[in-house]
Amino acid sequence: MPGRSDVKMKEYPKEMLANPQTALEKLSAREVATREKAVVVAEARLLKDKMKECYYREGVNAYQHCDHLAREYMDLIMSDRFRQADP
């Protein structure tokens, strides 16, 4: 039987209601951050797909021939650009 939750939501900031320009700037910044995150995630996904294709194509020699893709993928996901893209 569902009961009431003890979760309390934060109150909407009153300064955003008083100053709509600030609200627009914050929404704009959030939108830009979301786009950047989507771009970085898409780049990582494409690189991962390339790496999968290389491993499939190279077979037993994949560790030697696909090493550059694995390093590039790890560099991307460990970079500040990937981590800071979180809104």
Side-chain angles (χ1 to χ4, degrees), residues 12-61:
Y12 193 77
K14 289 180 178 35
E15 69 270 0
M16 290 182 100
L17 295 173
N19 189 356
Q21 189 63 26
T22 305
L24 290 175
E25 289 171 0
K26 287 183 180 181
L27 288 174
S28 176
R30 187 184 309 160
E31 184 178 334
V32 168
T34 303
R35 277 194 212 137
E36 286 296 320
K37 179 66 175 179
V39 167
V40 172
V41 168
E43 286 178 16
R45 188 175 295 139
L46 288 172
L47 197 52
K48 187 176 175 183
D49 290 344
K50 284 181 186 178
M51 195 168 57
K52 282 182 182 179
E53 290 173 10
C54 184
Y55 272 75
Y56 180 74
R57 183 180 61 241
E58 295 298 331
V60 295
N61 296 325

Side-chain angles (χ1 to χ4, degrees), residues 57-68:
R57 183 180 61 241
E58 295 298 331
V60 295
N61 296 325
Y63 288 114
Q64 290 138 356
H65 294 274
C66 303
D67 184 48
H68 66 285

